[in-house]
């Protein structure tokens, strides 16, 4: 411990540079982890955090709510299923809304029955009960979607009052509000007078007593090849773009994570070569090899810990930021997992240098051969 | 400098690990850049390809096709403006397409455009019932001459040929006559149907600066329109600016990491070399000569790493199934990545400059080994 | 650049009209330590070496012989006193000027780290030219000639790691001679060699220096080899004694 620490103090620049490199890598990894989770939440949070355990799309909708349309005959088929408990219509539209903070693209989700289709995690206020009320996602509160605010749809000039906030209830990375079905129909009609009454986009279903969500999915899909039923979490995962985001980030994480042990390993290998004479001398005067290796591992541990903490410190302020509408959160689980993984990789890579240390022959002190090339 | 390059040639082993790390970082830079380009391209290529000066949407539509309606009256008003030569209507509907040979739940995601003025690379408006297809749809099994059934109404269209670089919103596009588009829209999206003569947006070709033209159109219609130059329309697409700034920040930090790695590696290298530098300085080498040698090594190592990374990324592009990851590897992106790395390499070396300067030629005498 | 091959009628080395290789007059080198105290490394050194003389500089470690060598070789500047090497007064030279001076006028054979490990014998000789004047073909010719004269013609393409200790020493000597110096400094040339090899190397040094009429300072603590030199100069605690 003594040796390890003393050496680091004497060679501040190089150990400092290494810690800086590790810190930046950790920061980038954690930041992108937050980014990924936040992106996914803002894309499909509204789907994951609503009350219907099963959602039924039309196959033509390709797992996009707005593109899906359920014709009356298929709706009747679903409603009459014995394994379906509660069935409710869900409609989605995209509108331009004016708030106290300006103009926004707003997604409006209308639900018929709050038991299947309303946001599941109300954090402030209440669900809308009458026409002209809405519950917004808490991420949008500061943009004029706070409880008590009124948003005006343009160009129809329809007004909607926010009566509650729900957690993680965004769709398509933009402001999202949930309304009762009649408010939704009203908004659509005001927007496009040429259209008639729109058909529902999606049906939300809760299974009947004793039926699992998975069984319900199978039963609904058996009704018709034009229906596409999914459990809530499958619907979120299958939304176009989600798997692309996940795959892209996976490649990114893999590459960054590989850089960490390479840099640490390289560093300790070179430093061990440079200390060859000093190490040989220590062995000659009776220092056990294990002690030298322990010293090496201690240094690696200190560096990884310091680098990780520094990276964490850099990461913390970003979790308080809003990045173009995305609120990044401190991902505790991810931080824990990466801490363990990177620590293991970093310290493990120093073992390559440890091998060299163990190969030192104390007799070399008298001949000056050192660790050799 | 010759000395530095000779060392690199004779002792490649000691530079190997640093080269590997730099290769990984270079791959990261090129991959991130390609990802950004791919994301943006698949979202906005159809707009970028428009061969007009200005796109006109209706007010409060926030540059979104789906929320915009431009009727005949508004169009006439725009056409009457001096400076406006030609206008073309454009409209869009997004649906699933049934492709012969694919499973019943396996639809291709398409954006059907009805157009009047052909965008770059797209031929003139085809006959009713025919479409030009985006070549990204080939990965969904679409072939020339195929009949695709669009939407729940199974509206048939036949693929007359392929076009490139016209994706929209992450979907492959189909380009049809306005009548075909309207038919499909009415049949499949009755709630979004538009009367004859009504389009979602107008492409305007005019003279003078596009930005001035856009402003004059909005002024003339007293705010009933929102007009954008093509680049502005692209930026207005939600997500584009955020994607760019986020990715660019990540790329920036990665370049800094490359800089630190090079600084670290060369700092370690020079520590080892102080004896040799002492000798060289004693026999008359200037510090600048030694330092230039270091920079030359850093540059060569970076170039080698970049070359390997380029090969790997191009291979990745081929191997990754189309659609799995939106990757668009362009030459300019590769060149930018290499340039950034080279700059990082040179600056990283600067960390070792002080140590090189400090080496005392007198240390060579009295020879501490 | 040609070297002087004129000899007198007797064929032996004679003090010619060439200026002395080294004239040190009252040279002092004082170092100020971190705590403000002063250490006198070299006190009032006065020494003249003729243009073809070989002088042994003998003294224990810490005696100041390194300092004296460094000043004589134009690596260090004196605190006071004057120093003229090969007719050139380098007393007030800036570090840049000293660097150029060393390239052109001085040769060094160091004690341990001598050769660049990744350069061949021939390339090691060409390093000086590479760093300085870049005469190209002229230098290459000279290098080949020197290697030949030193008996290393067949080793020209070997790396230092492939040469014996004695061969490495000879390559170092060759490099020291490349720029036709006024003065060559040998730092403990025999310390790593056994008696027989040491004698061989000293004979080689003597014959090379004599045949080219180049002055040399041989720094050593080994009294066995001082007889190879024309005279010995002793140094103790920074003071020169004859």
């Amino acid at each position: 411990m003594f040796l390890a620490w003393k050496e680091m103090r004497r060679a501040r620049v190089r150990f400092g540079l290494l810690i800086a490199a590790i810190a930046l890598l950790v920061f980038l990894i954690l930041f992108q982890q937050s980014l990924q989770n936040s992106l996914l939440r803002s894309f499909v949070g509204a789907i994951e955090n609503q009350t219907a355990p099963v959602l039924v799309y039309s196959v033509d909708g390709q797992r996009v709510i707005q593109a899906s349309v359920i014709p009356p005959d298929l709706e009747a088929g679903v409603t009459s299923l014995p394994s379906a408990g509660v069935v409710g219509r869900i409609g989605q539209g995209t509108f331009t809304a004016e708030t106290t903070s300006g103009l926004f693209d707003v997604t409006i989700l209308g639900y018929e029955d709050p038991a299947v289709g309303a946001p599941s995690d109300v954090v402030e206020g209440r669900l809308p009960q009458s026409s002209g009320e809405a519950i917004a996602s808490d991420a949008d509160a500061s943009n004029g979607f706070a409880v008590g605010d009124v948003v005006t749809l343009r160009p129809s000039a329809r007004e909607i009052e926010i009566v509650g906030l729900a957690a993680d209830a965004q769709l398509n990375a933009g402001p999202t509000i949930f309304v009762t079905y009649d408010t939704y129909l009203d908004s659509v009609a005001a927007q496009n007078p040429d259209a008639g009454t729109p058909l529902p986009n999606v049906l939300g279903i809760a299974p009947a007593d004793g039926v699992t969500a998975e069984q319900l999915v199978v039963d609904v899909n058996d009704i018709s090849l034009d229906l596409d039923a999914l459990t809530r979490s499958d619907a979120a995962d299958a939304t176009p773009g989600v798997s692309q985001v996940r795959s892209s980030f996976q490649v990114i994480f893999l590459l960054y994570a590989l850089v960490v042990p390479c840099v640490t390993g390289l560093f300790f290998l070179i430093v061990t070569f440079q200390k060859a004479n000093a190490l040989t001398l220590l062995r000659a005067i009776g220092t056990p090899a294990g002690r030298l290796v322990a010293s090496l591992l201690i240094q690696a541990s200190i560096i990884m810990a310091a680098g990780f903490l520094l990276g964490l410190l850099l990461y913390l302020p970003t979790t308080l930021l809003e990045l173009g509408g995305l609120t990044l959160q401190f991902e505790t689980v991810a931080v824990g997992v990466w801490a363990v993984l990177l620590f293991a990789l970093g310290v493990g890579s120093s073992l390559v240098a440890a091998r060299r240390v163990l190969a030192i022959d104390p007799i070399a002190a008298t001949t000056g051969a050192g660790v050799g090339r | 400098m010759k000395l530095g390059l000779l060392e690199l040639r004779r002792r490649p082993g000691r530079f190997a690990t640093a080269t590997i790390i730099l290769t990984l970082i270079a791959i990261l830079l090129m991959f991130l850049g390609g990802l950004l380009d791919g994301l943006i391209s698949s979202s906005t290529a159809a707009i970028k390809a428009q061969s007009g000066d200005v796109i006109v949407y209706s007010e409060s539509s926030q540059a979104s096709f789906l929320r915009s309606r431009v009727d005949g009256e508004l169009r006439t008003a725009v056409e009457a403006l001096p400076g406006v030569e030609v206008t073309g209507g454009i409209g869009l509907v997004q649906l699933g397409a049934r492709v012969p040979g694919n499973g019943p739940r396996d639809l291709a995601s398409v954006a059907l455009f009805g157009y009047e003025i052909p965008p770059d690379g797209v031929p003139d408006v085809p006959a009713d019932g025919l479409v030009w297809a985006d070549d990204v749809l080939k990965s969904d099994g679409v072939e020339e001459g195929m009949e695709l059934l669009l939407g729940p109404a199974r509206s048939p269209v036949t693929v007359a040929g392929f076009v490139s670089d016209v994706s929209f919103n992450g979907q492959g596009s189909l380009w049809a006559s306005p009548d075909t588009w309207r038919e499909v829209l009415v049949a499949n999206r009755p709630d979004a149907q538009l009367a004859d003569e009504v389009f979602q947006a107008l492409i305007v070709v005019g003279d003078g600066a596009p930005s001035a033209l856009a402003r004059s159109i909005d002024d003339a219609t007293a705010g009933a329109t929102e007009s954008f130059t093509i680049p502005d329309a692209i930026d207005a697409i939600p997500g584009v600016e955020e994607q760019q700034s986020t990715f660019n920040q990540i790329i920036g930090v990665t370049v800094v990491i490359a800089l630190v790695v090079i600084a670290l590696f060369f700092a370690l290298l020079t520590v080892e070399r102080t004896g040799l530098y002492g000798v060289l300085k004693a026999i008359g080498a200037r510090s600048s000569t030694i330092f230039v040698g270091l920079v030359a090594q850093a540059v060569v190592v970076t170039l080698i790493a970049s070359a390997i990374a380029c090969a790997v990324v191009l291979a990745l592009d081929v191997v990754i199934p189309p659609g799995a990851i939106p990757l668009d590897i362009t030459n300019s992106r590769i060149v930018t990545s290499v340039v950034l790395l080279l700059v990082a390499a040179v600056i990283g070396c600067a960390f070792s400059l002080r140590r090189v300067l400090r080496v005392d030629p007198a240390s060579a005498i009295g020879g501490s080994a | 650049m040609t070297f002087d091959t004129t000899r007198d009628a007797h064929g032996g080395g004679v003090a010619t009209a060439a200026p002395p290789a080294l004239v040190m007059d009252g040279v002092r080198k004082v170092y100020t330590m971190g705590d403000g105290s002063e250490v006198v490394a070299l006190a009032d050194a006065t020494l003249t070496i003729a243009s073809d003389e070989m002088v042994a500089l003998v003294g224990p470690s810490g005696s100041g012989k390194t300092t004296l060598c460094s000043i004589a070789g134009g690596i260090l500047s004196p605190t006071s006193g004057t120093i003229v090497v090969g007719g050139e007064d380098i007393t007030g030279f800036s570090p840049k000027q000293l660097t150029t001076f060393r390239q052109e006028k001085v040769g060094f054979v160091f004690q341990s780290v001598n050769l660049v490990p990744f350069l061949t014998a021939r390339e090691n000789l060409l390093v000086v030219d590479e760093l300085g004047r870049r005469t190209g073909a002229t230098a290459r010719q000279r290098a080949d000639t020197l290697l030949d004269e030193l008996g290393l013609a067949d080793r020209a393409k070997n790396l230092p790691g492939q040469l014996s200790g004695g061969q490495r020493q000879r390559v170092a000597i060759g490099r020291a001679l490349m720029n036709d110096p006024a003065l060559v400094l040998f730092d403990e040339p025999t310390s790593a060699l056994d008696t027989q090899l040491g004698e061989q190397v000293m004979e080689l040094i003597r014959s090379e220096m004599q045949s080219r009429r180049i002055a040399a300072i041989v720094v050593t603590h080994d009294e066995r080899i001082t007889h190879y030199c024309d005279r010995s100069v002793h140094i103790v605690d920074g003071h020169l004694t004859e």
Side-chain angles (χ1 to χ4, degrees):
Chain A
M1 182 66 196
F2 174 77
L3 284 172
W5 180 243
K6 283 289 179 195
E7 185 193 349
M8 287 177 69
R9 278 195 53 185
R10 291 285 150 72
R12 267 172 230 178
V13 172
R14 45 185 139 145
F15 282 93
L17 277 174
L18 179 63
I19 292 178
I22 304 286
L24 283 173
L25 285 162
V26 166
F27 162 69
L28 269 185
I29 292 177
L30 292 178
F31 174 74
Q32 290 180 96
Q33 182 76 67
S34 265
L35 194 63
Q36 177 197 17
N37 291 6
S38 186
L39 263 174
L40 292 176
R41 259 198 307 271
S42 70
F43 262 109
V44 293
I47 297 178
E48 281 221 312
N49 300 315
Q50 49 81 34
T51 49
V54 171
L55 294 169
V56 182
Y57 299 74
S58 69
V59 166
D60 282 287
Q62 299 185 274
R63 281 94 190 258
V64 173
I65 297 180
Q66 193 157 9
S68 165
V69 175
I70 308 288
D73 55 330
L74 290 178
E75 186 181 354
V78 172
T79 317
S80 57
L81 258 189
S83 44
V86 182
V87 178
R89 293 174 166 187
I90 298 175
Q92 182 202 335
T94 327
F95 300 81
T96 307
E98 190 179 336
T99 73
T100 49
S101 305
L103 281 176
F104 292 92
D105 300 326
V106 131
T107 300
I108 297 186
L109 284 162
Y111 58 88
E112 217 180 8
D113 187 330
V116 282
S120 50
D121 194 2
V122 178
V123 295
E124 199 186 317
R126 56 175 175 80
L127 289 177
Q129 272 146 16
S130 53
S131 175
E133 292 182 343
I135 180 169
S137 181
D138 57 354
D140 301 313
S142 51
N143 282 330
F145 292 89
V147 175
D149 283 339
V150 171
V151 307
T152 313
L153 300 183
R154 293 278 172 224
S156 61
R158 283 286 188 285
E159 287 189 349
I160 297 180
E161 186 192 347
I162 310 295
V163 298
L165 289 178
D168 294 335
Q170 278 184 328
L171 197 65
N172 293 336
T176 307
I177 59 177
F178 285 76
V179 298
T180 56
Y181 205 68
D182 53 338
T183 313
Y184 160 71
L185 289 177
D186 184 48
S187 309
V188 170
Q191 168 94 333
N192 191 354
D194 291 340
T197 309
L199 291 171
N201 296 108
V202 159
L203 298 174
I205 339 176
D209 284 338
V211 179
T212 62
E214 288 75 20
Q215 182 56 46
L216 182 55
V217 163
V218 170
D219 290 345
V220 170
N221 283 337
D222 280 344
I223 297 177
S224 160
L225 279 179
D226 282 335
L227 287 177
D228 192 9
L230 297 151
T231 61
R232 182 169 37 206
S233 48
D234 284 349
D237 289 341
T239 306
V242 169
S243 68
Q244 277 187 345
V245 167
R246 287 223 171 93
S247 310
S248 306
F249 274 99
Q250 261 162 14
V251 175
I252 293 175
F253 287 140
L254 180 68
L255 288 169
Y256 278 113
L258 275 178
V259 175
V260 170
C262 283
V263 170
T264 322
L266 168 70
F267 177 86
F268 281 107
L269 204 56
I270 294 182
V271 165
T272 304
F273 271 133
Q274 291 175 349
K275 289 190 305 193
N277 291 341
L279 289 173
T280 314
L281 177 65
L282 286 171
R283 290 282 285 124
I285 64 172
T287 314
R291 211 33 138 56
L292 295 179
V293 171
S295 174
L296 179 68
L297 291 176
I298 288 173
Q299 281 180 341
S301 304
I302 294 177
I303 286 169
M304 290 310 301
F308 194 86
L309 280 171
L310 198 54
L312 198 60
L313 277 174
L314 286 170
Y315 163 66
L316 269 172
T318 66
T319 64
L320 306 169
L321 284 178
E322 250 195 49
L323 211 69
L326 283 179
T327 32
L328 299 180
Q329 285 179 12
F330 187 88
E331 308 281 343
T332 327
V333 172
V335 167
V337 169
W338 279 112
V340 171
L341 183 65
L342 291 176
F343 191 83
L345 282 174
V347 173
S349 72
S350 69
L351 288 176
V352 177
R355 241 174 36 125
R356 295 279 176 176
V357 169
L358 287 172
I360 292 174
D361 188 356
I363 195 87
T366 55
T367 58
V371 164
R373 289 237 149 255
Chain B
M1 178 165 103
K2 218 171 117 182
L3 219 57
L5 293 175
L6 262 176
E7 181 187 7
L8 200 47
R9 217 156 34 114
R10 298 272 171 82
R11 292 264 177 95
R14 60 192 348 216
F15 294 87
T17 325
T19 311
I20 293 175
I21 298 177
L22 279 173
T23 308
L24 280 174
I25 295 180
I27 294 176
L28 263 170
L29 282 179
M30 292 178 192
F31 182 78
L32 284 168
L35 198 59
L36 176 63
D37 291 337
L39 282 170
I40 304 243
S41 169
S42 72
S43 297
T44 66
I47 310 254
K48 199 159 168 210
Q50 291 301 323
S51 47
D53 299 305
V54 169
I55 294 188
V56 179
Y57 301 90
S58 63
E59 62 165 335
S60 308
S61 60
Q62 295 278 78
S64 158
F65 281 112
L66 298 176
R67 271 173 275 160
S68 175
R69 339 176 35 246
V70 175
D71 58 23
E73 211 181 290
L74 199 49
R75 183 173 181 170
T76 316
V78 172
E79 279 171 348
L81 280 178
V84 171
E85 285 171 18
V86 164
T87 66
I90 188 167
L92 160 74
V93 60
Q94 291 165 305
L95 320 134
R98 280 172 173 74
V99 179
N102 292 3
R105 288 207 165 94
D106 192 9
L107 274 57
S109 205
V110 299
L112 174 70
F113 282 93
Y115 69 106
E116 289 176 338
I117 300 179
D120 287 338
V122 176
D124 282 336
V125 180
D128 287 347
L130 291 178
V131 293
W132 305 112
D134 192 346
D135 57 9
V136 306
L137 291 171
K138 284 184 187 169
S139 65
D140 285 305
V142 173
E143 291 167 21
E144 193 171 320
M146 249 183 193
E147 187 182 71
L148 306 175
L149 300 174
L150 302 181
R154 310 275 204 278
S155 308
V157 293
T158 308
V159 176
F162 285 99
V163 289
S164 307
D165 295 325
V166 280
S167 302
F168 184 73
N169 202 29
Q171 298 164 318
S173 55
L174 298 174
W175 296 84
S177 68
D179 284 343
T180 310
W181 161 66
R182 240 180 261 285
E183 261 178 52
V184 172
L185 184 60
V186 164
N188 291 283
R189 290 263 188 285
D191 55 310
Q193 66 185 283
L194 298 171
D196 281 354
E197 304 297 307
V198 179
F199 283 92
Q200 288 165 345
L202 288 179
I203 307 293
V204 174
V205 180
D207 38 53
S211 42
L213 185 60
R215 272 198 301 276
S216 69
I217 294 176
D218 288 345
D219 287 341
T221 59
T225 55
E226 277 172 5
S227 307
F228 296 83
T229 61
I230 307 286
D232 287 344
I234 292 176
D235 284 339
I237 294 180
V240 166
E241 269 183 13
E242 287 86 10
Q243 274 169 356
Q244 272 172 333
S245 77
T246 308
F247 269 87
N248 284 334
Q249 281 165 37
I250 295 177
I251 288 174
V253 176
T254 308
V255 171
V256 171
I257 293 178
L259 197 155
V260 172
V261 167
I262 292 186
L264 182 62
F265 178 71
F266 279 92
L268 293 173
L269 202 66
T270 45
V271 162
E272 232 171 63
R273 288 250 174 278
T274 40
L276 184 61
Y277 292 156
V279 168
L280 288 174
K281 279 198 180 184
I283 66 177
R286 278 191 288 276
S287 290
S288 57
T289 315
I290 298 179
F291 186 66
V292 166
L294 272 181
V295 173
Q297 287 175 338
V299 166
V300 170
V301 163
T302 304
L303 286 173
I304 294 177
S306 301
I308 301 176
C310 187
V312 168
V313 168
L314 288 172
L316 263 179
D317 197 17
V318 168
V319 159
I320 291 179
I325 297 181
L327 210 55
D328 187 16
I329 309 291
T330 58
N331 289 342
S332 72
R333 179 62 68 178
I334 292 186
V335 167
T336 314
S337 307
V338 174
V339 167
L340 284 173
L341 275 178
L342 283 173
V343 169
V346 172
I347 300 179
C349 272
F351 276 83
S352 301
L353 179 59
R354 212 173 65 112
R355 194 187 294 278
V356 169
L357 286 174
R358 268 201 320 197
V359 170
D360 186 0
S363 63
I365 303 191
S368 42
Chain C
M1 219 179 150
T2 58
F3 51 90
D4 189 1
T5 52
T6 54
R7 295 182 187 277
D8 71 351
H10 303 287
V14 160
T16 61
L22 173 70
V23 178
M24 283 173 82
D25 192 10
V27 167
R28 257 174 90 79
K29 185 65 183 174
V30 179
Y31 290 104
T32 315
M33 300 276 98
D35 57 0
S37 61
E38 287 189 341
V39 170
V40 180
L42 202 57
D44 203 29
T46 300
L47 176 66
T48 304
I49 298 181
S51 68
D52 55 359
E53 232 189 322
M54 208 159 117
V55 171
L57 181 60
V58 187
S61 27
S63 55
K65 53 183 200 247
T66 306
T67 312
L68 188 138
C69 245
S70 302
I71 294 177
I75 291 181
L76 279 180
S77 287
T79 313
S80 61
T82 57
I83 166 155
V84 179
V85 179
E88 208 170 332
D89 186 344
I90 64 169
T91 314
F93 271 21
S94 69
K96 266 217 174 74
Q97 287 169 311
L98 282 177
T99 304
T100 316
F101 168 74
R102 292 197 299 277
Q103 272 171 22
E104 297 175 357
K105 285 287 186 64
V106 186
F108 292 91
V109 177
F110 299 106
Q111 184 176 357
S112 48
V113 185
N114 246 319
L115 305 177
V116 181
F118 52 86
L119 296 179
T120 63
R122 189 166 181 263
E123 285 163 350
N124 263 293
L125 260 65
L126 290 171
V127 164
V128 184
D129 182 68
E130 189 50 41
L131 294 173
R133 296 262 210 79
R134 307 266 180 87
T135 58
T138 319
R140 284 197 290 276
Q141 237 175 12
R142 183 166 168 79
D144 288 332
T145 312
L146 277 172
L147 284 170
D148 201 29
E149 289 173 7
L150 289 163
L152 292 167
D154 57 336
R155 294 307 213 177
K157 292 220 170 75
N158 288 117
L159 296 170
Q162 298 160 323
L163 300 172
S164 71
Q167 287 169 331
R168 283 202 287 270
Q169 201 75 297
R170 279 186 272 160
V171 174
I173 294 171
R175 185 195 62 210
L177 294 173
M178 269 295 289
N179 56 352
D180 199 18
L183 178 67
V184 178
L185 290 154
F186 292 88
D187 186 17
E188 308 274 6
T190 58
S191 68
L193 307 172
D194 61 39
T195 313
Q196 199 189 17
L197 205 48
E199 285 174 1
Q200 280 177 9
V201 168
M202 284 312 298
E203 270 168 21
L204 178 66
I205 291 177
R206 178 147 186 97
S207 76
E208 290 295 331
M209 295 298 113
Q210 289 229 295
S211 65
R212 297 168 206 280
R213 295 181 176 283
I214 298 182
I217 299 180
V218 180
V219 175
T220 183
H221 60 270
D222 187 352
E223 297 280 357
R224 289 174 300 173
I225 62 166
T226 52
H227 68 272
Y228 285 98
C229 301
D230 294 323
R231 61 180 165 116
S232 298
V233 170
H234 288 79
I235 179 168
V236 174
D237 290 335
H239 289 89
L240 281 176
T241 55
E242 202 65 39

